[in-house]
């Protein structure tokens, strides 16, 4: 009951109508159309029902780190540590809720495809034109298309008048596709489908009639729809790392805790005491502050990206920007604006004028090059005469900087506007037109005076490929402004000039005018700017290019072997773009994909991070992407730098937070192996966990200061503990000394880690006041634990003397001193190795 677009393009339209049992002059009957609707279904994309919101919310808890935190909360409840259990639960709820809200709208791209199917269409039913919903179209329907219409289904055209369809959002091609009604032949396994109007594309000019051959998911757009349904957005590097971290923490922590409990039991220690210590270590080893701080850090990154007019849809993708090592970019609308611009005009007399400005507007000017001995007035008249051809032999219009027509003609109009020549249309009326075709490669217009006594005469205006226009010209205008006969040598000179211009990647449009086709005068060429790969910095000299046809013949293994040696892919479909992204990912790359069209949607979804161009991009690509750029002048490298800052932030935070856990585990493990009493009791371990997982980390990272110190202090804590218990008896003072030593080490460590490279004296002690508040509160809390009697009983501590405190401050400040010395040495080495410019290059990363 339907025919594919490929099959129908090979057949004559009469054969297509016979196969679909339709008379193109009457269309289907309403009864037949209803029968076909019951068989093939409506002309729309069926989006699968999504899971209910509650189920999506529950799925957020499947993260291994979240599960580990839930286990930690359960253990805390069992130990009656309700404060700790509450803080862990609150952290879990915050993280899960933020992730859920961020990802709620991430799968809307499929719904946006339905918006490309126009709501209504003009269809021939039972001999009369009916205007009804496009979803009611069936194979065999006869559809009429006019300028501005969006094609409602895949159509096999059988009548066409100057039809050009904008397929840029579908194929990526800048130029509107000129359509024909003749059948095509397969060549090398490829079929040219220029007699098909594809669903969702836009009619730029002309009109046509076509037979509906496929609808909904069976259309060419349906292929994209099915691919998008099949592809799942991959997890970000951060999410993968967090999953791995959660699993590793669970394994290593519980193995060490199990070892400590068994070793203590074998040494004859009370099993209940060892169990209590083990459970306390389990709570301390699990970094419940990590998920919430990661979320806060990512959220701050999202806010900073928003200030740069980049909208981030999912929190974890901000960090992915810093991991990207391969960027795949669509050309049309992404690297280019899907616009054409005249950059130079060259008259037949050798006068050159450079055209400035971009876009479809009058901003810019034509600057004539001055040549010795030449009359500038003659040059201006020659340019005027040539641009008049570009305006009159033209079907495009520019209104409010919006082009209605083909980009080639829009570029000529914009150039005329900059020379104030576009008003020449008001003086003429069009008498006859021969539209541009792929066979003739030129357009011919005959115009006459619109008003009597206007001073203009009836003329023929021609524009097109220079090899087609020049042979028709019998004269040209020379440098003095006189008409000269066209000779073979002069014609070859003009052709050579055009060839040399074309070699640089520029396009040439030849222009001519005259009283008739038998007596045309060549006026010159307009040079339009296009964007070869070399112009944007791609290395095409040391790498190769591949076409879509070549990709079709390659197996995945063959593509994987050469993928990293290719810099340009051309004539590619959405399927090809998906294959390229997958191949790069199989090679271990973190792939970023930028695009703006429907044809980019599948690759945007599959890439590790999809980046949509938001100003002119389609809704499909915006919904498929993770980040949307709303300005053309966004510096992509600055966006990646933002991602790297977040990456280093999170990495350094993990190191710092785990240092407390590693130090606590190592301290207890070493004491157990040495057969000495445990230096910290359960409550002291939990207190350290509360202090270090709480306000210190939050304030440290709210102001984006890195922490990059290794846990070098637990051996010193152990030595201090052994020194304190030199009488081989453990007392509350011994554990209090070790306990306070542990806390003070972390305080000095946090202070020295305000910057990765700068000294604290350069950064300033008071530049982060909230950090100082957090440190002060932590120290006050520690003093209360040591000196406040009710807390002494809970934590089994003993008041320390002033001498003890001075000794501990001197001991623990060693980590601060060593850190400052380390940073000084690193700065000195870097300055000597790379010079003064290296320091400036890394300033941006000082406060990551």
């Amino acid at each position: 009951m339907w025919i594919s677009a490929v099959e129908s393009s090979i057949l004559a339209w009469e054969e297509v109508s016979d196969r679909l049992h339709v008379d193109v002059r009457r269309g289907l009957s309403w009864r037949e159309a209803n029968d076909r609707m019951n068989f093939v279904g409506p002309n729309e994309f069926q989006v699968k029902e999504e899971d209910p919101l509650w189920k999506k919310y529950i799925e957020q808890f499947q993260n291994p780190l979240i599960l580990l935190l839930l286990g930690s909360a359960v253990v805390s409840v069992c130990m009656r540590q309700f404060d700790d259990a509450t803080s862990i639960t609150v952290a879990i709820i915050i993280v899960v809720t933020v992730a859920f809200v961020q990802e709620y709208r991430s799968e809307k791209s499929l719904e946006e495809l339905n918006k490309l199917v126009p709501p209504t269409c003009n269809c021939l039913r039972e001999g009369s034109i009916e205007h009804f919903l496009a979803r009611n179209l069936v194979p065999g329907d006869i559809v009429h298309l006019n300028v501005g219409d969006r094609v409602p289904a895949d159509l096999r055209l059988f009548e066409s008048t100057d039809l050009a369809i904008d397929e840029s959002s579908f194929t990526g091609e800048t130029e509107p596709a000129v359509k024909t009604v003749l059948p095509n032949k397969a060549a090398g396994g490829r079929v040219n489908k220029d007699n098909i109007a594809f669903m969702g594309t836009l009619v730029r000019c002309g009109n046509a009639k076509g037979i509906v051959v496929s609808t909904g998911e069976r259309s060419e757009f349906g292929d994209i729809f099915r691919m998008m349904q099949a592809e799942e957005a991959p997890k970000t590097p951060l999410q993968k790392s967090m999953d791995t971290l959660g699993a590793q923490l669970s394994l290593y922590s519980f193995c060490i805790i199990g070892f400590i409990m068994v070793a203590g039991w074998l040494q004859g220690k009370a099993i209940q005491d060892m169990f209590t210590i083990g459970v306390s270590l389990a709570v301390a080893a699990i970094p419940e502050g990590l998920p919430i701080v990661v979320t806060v850090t990512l959220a701050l990154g999202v806010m900073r990206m928003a200030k740069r007019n980049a909208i981030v849809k999912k929190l974890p993708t901000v960090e992915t920007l810093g991991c990207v090592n391969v960027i795949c970019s669509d050309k049309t609308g992404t690297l280019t604006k899907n616009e054409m611009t005249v950059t130079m005009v060259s008259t037949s007399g050798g006068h050159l004028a450079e055209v400035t400005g971009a876009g479809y507007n009058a901003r810019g000017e034509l600057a004539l090059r001055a040549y010795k001995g030449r009359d500038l007035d003659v040059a201006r008249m020659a340019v005027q005469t040539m641009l008049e051809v570009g305006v009159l032999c033209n079907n495009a219009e520019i209104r409010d900087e919006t082009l209605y027509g083909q980009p080639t003609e829009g570029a000529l109009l914009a150039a005329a506007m900059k020379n104030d020549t576009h008003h020449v249309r008001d003086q003429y009326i069009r008498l006859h037109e021969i539209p541009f075709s792929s066979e003739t490669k030129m357009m011919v217009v005959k115009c006459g005076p619109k008003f009597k006594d206007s001073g203009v005469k009836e003329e023929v205006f021609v524009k097109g490929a220079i090899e087609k226009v020049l042979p028709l010209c019998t004269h040209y205008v020379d440098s003095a402004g006189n008409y000269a006969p066209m000779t073979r040598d002069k014609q070859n000179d003009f052709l050579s000039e055009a060839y040399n211009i074309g070699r640089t990647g520029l396009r040439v449009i030849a222009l001519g005018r005259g009283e008739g086709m038998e007596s045309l005068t060549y006026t010159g060429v307009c040079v339009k700017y296009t964007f070869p790969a070399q112009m944007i910095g791609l290395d095409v000299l040391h790498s190769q290019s591949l076409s879509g046809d070549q990709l079709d013949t390659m197996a995945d293994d063959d593509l994987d072997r050469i993928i990293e040696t290719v810099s340009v892919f051309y004539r590619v479909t959405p399927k090809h773009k998906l294959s390229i992204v997958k191949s790069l990912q199989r090679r271990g790359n973190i792939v970023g994909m930028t695009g703006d069209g429907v044809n980019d949607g599948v690759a945007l979804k599959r890439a590790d991070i999809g980046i949509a161009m938001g100003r002119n991009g389609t809704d499909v690509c915006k919904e498929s992407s993770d980040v949307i750029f709303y300005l053309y002048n966004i510096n992509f490298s600055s966006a990646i730098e933002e991602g790297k800052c977040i990456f280093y932030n999170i990495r350094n935070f993990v190191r710092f937070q785990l240092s407390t856990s590693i130090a606590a585990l190592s301290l207890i493990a070493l004491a157990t192996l040495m057969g000495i009493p445990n230096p910290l009791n359960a409550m002291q371990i939990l207190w350290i966990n509360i202090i270090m997982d709480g306000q210190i980390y939050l304030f440290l990272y709210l102001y984006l200061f890195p922490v990059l110190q290794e846990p070098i202090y637990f051996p010193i804590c152990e030595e201090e503990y052994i020194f304190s218990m030199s009488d081989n008896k453990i007392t509350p003072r011994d554990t209090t000394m070790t306990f306070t030593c542990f806390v003070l080490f972390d305080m000095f460590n946090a202070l020295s880690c305000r910057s990765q490279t700068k000294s604290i004296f350069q950064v300033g002690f008071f530049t982060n006041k909230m950090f100082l508040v957090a440190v002060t509160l932590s120290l006050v809390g520690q003093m209360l634990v040591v000196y406040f009697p009710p807390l002494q009983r809970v934590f089994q501590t003993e008041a320390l003397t002033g001498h003890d405190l001075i000794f501990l401050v001197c001991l623990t400040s060693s980590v601060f001193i060593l850190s400052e010395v380390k940073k000084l040495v690193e700065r000195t080495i870097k300055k000597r190795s790379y010079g003064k410019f290296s320091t400036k290059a890394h300033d941006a990363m000082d406060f990551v």
Side-chain angles (χ1 to χ4, degrees):
M1 191 55 67
W2 62 84
I3 306 175
S4 70
V6 173
E7 186 179 2
S8 64
S9 67
I10 297 173
L11 300 175
W13 67 263
E14 294 90 349
E15 295 179 79
V16 175
S17 65
D18 289 342
R19 287 271 297 271
L20 293 173
H21 307 293
V22 61
D23 181 353
V24 297
R25 292 166 297 183
R26 285 191 52 81
L28 296 175
S29 67
W30 288 98
R31 180 176 179 179
E32 176 64 19
N34 290 334
D35 290 342
R36 296 188 183 194
M37 174 66 72
N38 293 332
F39 182 72
V40 300
N43 177 34
E44 61 186 7
F45 301 123
Q46 299 295 328
V47 180
K48 295 178 181 178
E49 290 188 9
E50 295 186 352
D51 293 331
L53 293 182
W54 65 265
K55 187 175 181 181
K56 287 188 173 185
Y57 189 82
I58 295 298
E59 287 175 354
Q60 299 292 330
F61 288 88
Q62 295 176 359
N63 185 299
L65 192 57
I66 297 297
L67 293 174
L68 189 59
L69 292 175
L70 286 172
S72 175
V74 172
V75 170
S76 299
V77 171
C78 294
M79 291 187 61
R80 298 182 181 277
Q81 302 297 329
F82 298 111
D83 291 343
D84 209 37
T86 301
S87 64
I88 295 173
T89 303
V90 170
I92 291 172
I93 292 174
I94 291 174
V95 172
V96 167
T97 303
V98 170
F100 170 75
V101 172
Q102 282 290 320
E103 297 181 15
Y104 173 64
R105 295 189 68 252
S106 65
E107 298 299 323
K108 298 295 181 182
S109 54
L110 298 178
E111 295 179 8
E112 293 299 330
L113 277 173
N114 266 324
K115 295 181 181 179
L116 289 174
V117 180
T120 58
C121 64
N122 295 313
C123 180
L124 183 67
R125 289 269 176 94
E126 297 184 353
S128 62
I129 297 295
E130 302 289 343
H131 191 72
F132 56 77
L133 294 176
R135 73 184 303 272
N136 295 326
L137 284 176
V138 295
D141 265 326
I142 306 301
V143 173
H144 290 209
L145 298 176
N146 292 294
V147 175
D149 287 351
R150 195 168 287 279
V151 181
D154 284 358
L155 309 178
R156 171 59 169 93
L157 301 172
F158 64 89
E159 284 188 21
S160 174
T161 303
D162 195 23
L163 180 67
I165 297 182
D166 183 356
E167 299 177 346
S168 59
S169 67
F170 181 50
T171 64
E173 294 297 324
T174 307
E175 291 277 3
V178 178
K179 296 296 182 178
T180 182
V181 299
L182 299 175
N184 292 302
K185 294 182 179 180
R190 184 180 177 89
V191 178
N192 184 13
K193 292 171 282 193
D194 57 5
N195 53 17
I196 303 293
F198 298 107
M199 173 191 282
T201 56
L202 185 66
V203 178
R204 284 293 188 187
C205 65
N207 55 76
K209 299 175 184 177
I211 308 168
V212 175
V213 291
S214 49
T215 58
E217 296 180 23
R218 288 172 294 276
S219 66
E220 293 288 305
F221 257 72
D223 289 340
I224 299 177
F225 176 81
R226 288 192 297 273
M227 283 191 287
M228 294 187 73
Q229 276 191 319
E231 290 302 321
E232 292 290 336
K235 285 188 174 183
T236 68
L238 176 63
Q239 290 170 324
K240 294 175 183 176
S241 299
M242 286 299 182
D243 289 349
T244 303
L245 177 64
Q248 290 177 344
L249 280 177
S250 302
L251 177 64
Y252 299 150
S253 297
F254 288 110
C255 284
I256 294 174
I257 292 166
F259 166 76
I260 291 173
M261 291 178 64
V262 172
W265 176 66
L266 292 175
Q267 291 176 1
K269 296 179 180 178
I271 188 66
Q272 184 176 357
D273 293 342
M274 294 308 301
F275 176 77
T276 303
I277 289 290
V279 172
S280 300
L281 285 173
V283 174
I286 298 171
E288 62 267 20
L290 177 60
I292 193 168
V293 173
V294 167
T295 302
V296 169
T297 306
L298 292 174
L300 290 172
V302 169
M303 293 166 59
R304 288 195 300 272
M305 291 292 288
K307 292 179 181 179
R308 302 181 182 186
N309 291 286
I311 306 302
V312 180
K313 294 168 59 181
K314 298 181 183 179
L315 284 180
T317 55
V318 187
E319 180 266 345
T320 310
L321 275 170
C323 303
V324 167
N325 65 327
V326 175
I327 300 173
C328 300
S329 184
D330 171 57
K331 179 180 79 72
T332 305
T334 305
L335 299 178
T336 68
K337 293 185 178 181
N338 199 12
E339 297 175 353
M340 286 192 175
T341 304
V342 172
T343 56
M344 184 175 68
V345 296
S346 175
T347 71
S348 58
H351 305 289
L352 296 178
E354 295 179 355
V355 185
T356 62
Y360 300 120
N361 54 64
R363 291 191 291 273
E365 62 179 358
L366 272 76
L368 280 166
R369 292 185 185 177
Y371 292 99
K372 187 176 180 180
R374 292 198 180 182
D375 191 334
L376 283 180
D377 289 335
V378 172
R380 292 190 188 96
M381 181 58 65
V383 171
Q384 172 89 8
T385 300
M386 187 178 66
L387 290 178
E388 286 179 357
V389 181
V391 173
L392 294 170
C393 191
N394 196 313
N395 287 322
E397 289 187 23
I398 295 176
R399 296 195 297 268
D400 298 326
E401 299 191 23
T402 300
L403 172 65
Y404 298 88
Q406 299 188 23
T408 297
E409 296 188 333
L412 292 172
L413 274 185
M417 291 168 68
K418 294 166 187 175
N419 196 54
D420 199 24
T421 307
H422 60 295
H423 298 300
V424 71
R425 277 185 175 177
D426 299 335
Q427 303 175 32
Y428 287 88
I429 184 171
R430 184 172 295 186
L431 303 176
H432 182 64
E433 174 187 347
I434 302 176
F436 179 90
S437 71
S438 57
E439 290 78 22
T440 63
K441 292 186 178 179
M442 64 179 179
M443 176 182 178
V444 181
V445 171
K446 186 176 183 179
C447 295
K450 193 172 185 179
F451 308 104
K452 293 180 179 180
D453 303 325
S454 62
V456 301
K457 60 183 179 179
E458 187 175 296
E459 275 190 277
V460 171
F461 303 92
V462 181
K463 79 171 191 299
I466 191 168
E467 67 272 15
K468 297 292 184 179
V469 174
L470 265 180
L472 300 176
C473 296
T474 58
H475 293 79
Y476 72 96
V477 181
D478 64 17
S479 59
N482 301 316
Y483 287 87
M486 181 71 71
T487 64
R488 175 67 65 180
D489 290 341
K490 198 64 183 177
Q491 192 176 97
N492 289 335
D493 290 342
F494 290 138
L495 287 171
S496 297
E497 178 189 26
Y499 174 75
N500 290 330
I501 293 173
R503 289 179 60 189
T504 65
L506 300 173
R507 296 187 182 182
V508 174
I509 297 292
L511 304 167
R513 62 192 298 177
E515 294 181 357
M517 291 296 291
E518 70 283 351
S519 59
L520 289 176
T521 298
Y522 177 66
T523 59
V525 294
C526 282
V527 181
K528 295 183 302 176
Y529 189 63
T530 60
F531 292 83
Q534 293 159 297
M535 292 184 179
I536 58 171
L538 290 178
D539 183 6
V540 295
L541 297 177
H542 304 92
S543 59
Q544 57 180 317
S545 302
L546 283 183
S547 69
D549 291 341
Q550 290 172 301
L551 287 173
D552 284 332
T553 62
M554 282 188 178
D556 288 347
D557 292 341
D558 296 331
L559 180 59
D560 292 349
R561 277 193 295 270
I562 68 167
I563 188 70
E564 293 182 353
T565 66
V566 184
S567 61
V568 175
F569 297 89
Y570 60 97
R571 304 293 184 200
V572 291
T573 65
K575 181 180 178 181
H576 295 143
K577 294 184 179 184
L578 178 62
S579 298
I580 293 166
V581 170
K582 283 185 174 180
S583 179
L584 288 166
Q585 290 174 329
R586 286 194 296 268
R587 296 281 295 176
N589 297 291
I590 306 298
V591 182
M593 170 74 193
T594 68
D596 71 320
V598 175
N599 58 328
D600 303 314
V602 184
L604 286 168
K605 185 176 180 181
R606 174 64 194 186
D608 294 285
I609 181 166
I611 302 165
M613 300 295 110
R615 176 169 289 184
N616 289 334
T618 61
D619 289 336
V620 175
C621 84
K622 292 176 190 176
E623 293 296 344
S624 302
S625 64
D626 305 297
V627 179
I628 304 173
F629 283 173
Y630 276 95
L631 289 180
Y632 284 123
N633 59 352
I634 285 182
N635 189 334
F636 196 78
S637 62
S638 66
I640 291 181
E641 182 180 334
E642 185 69 55
K644 287 191 179 295
C645 287
I646 293 170
F647 169 77
Y648 289 125
N649 247 353
I650 295 171
R651 185 191 66 178
N652 296 336
F653 175 77
V654 170
R655 287 185 179 180
F656 187 41
Q657 189 172 45
L658 292 182
S659 67
T660 301
S661 302
I662 293 171
L665 288 171
S666 303
L667 193 62
I668 302 298
L670 189 59
T672 303
L673 287 174
M674 295 176 65
I676 59 178
N678 290 322
L680 300 173
N681 60 44
M683 288 304 301
Q684 291 170 348
I685 293 173
L686 292 173
W687 172 251
I688 293 172
N689 184 51
I690 290 171
I691 287 182
M692 300 317 297
D693 283 353
Q695 63 262 35
I696 289 291
Y697 289 158
L698 186 57
F699 288 122
L700 197 65
Y701 276 89
L702 275 175
Y703 287 85
L704 307 178
F705 293 121
V707 183
L708 187 57
Q709 295 298 324
E710 299 297 334
I712 61 173
Y713 45 84
F714 79 84
I716 300 179
C717 291
E718 186 75 21
E719 291 179 11
E720 191 282 329
Y721 173 60
I722 295 173
F723 175 78
S724 298
M725 55 167 291
S726 55
D727 55 357
N728 292 322
K729 293 181 180 179
I730 184 170
T731 65
R733 178 185 176 278
D734 300 332
T735 58
T736 303
M737 287 285 286
T738 305
F739 175 38
T740 307
C741 178
F742 201 105
V743 172
L744 290 178
F745 259 126
D746 271 337
M747 295 298 164
F748 277 111
N749 189 23
L751 183 64
S752 66
C753 292
R754 288 275 306 279
S755 171
Q756 184 175 347
T757 58
K758 289 185 176 181
S759 167
I760 187 62
F761 302 103
Q762 291 177 281
V763 174
F765 282 95
F766 303 103
T767 54
N768 190 345
K769 296 179 180 179
M770 295 303 294
F771 173 79
L772 294 179
V773 170
V775 171
T776 302
L777 291 176
S778 298
L779 290 176
V780 169
Q782 181 66 19
M783 292 302 101
L784 290 174
V785 167
V786 172
Y787 293 104
F788 188 51
L791 293 179
Q792 285 180 330
R793 290 191 292 272
V794 174
F795 289 93
Q796 301 177 25
T797 57
E798 182 180 284
L800 301 177
T801 65
H803 178 269
D804 292 335
L805 291 178
I806 293 173
F807 169 74
L808 289 175
V809 169
C810 294
L811 179 65
T812 55
S813 61
S814 61
V815 69
F816 171 76
I817 296 171
L818 288 174
S819 175
E820 291 298 302
V821 172
K822 171 178 169 288
K823 287 188 282 190
L824 176 61
V825 172
E826 287 177 348
R827 288 197 304 272
T828 303
I829 294 175
K830 187 181 296 182
K831 188 173 182 180
R832 289 179 179 177
S833 301
Y834 301 104
K836 61 182 180 179
F837 298 107
S838 175
T839 304
K840 292 182 179 180
H842 288 274
D843 279 349
M845 300 302 293
D846 280 346
F847 299 96
V848 293

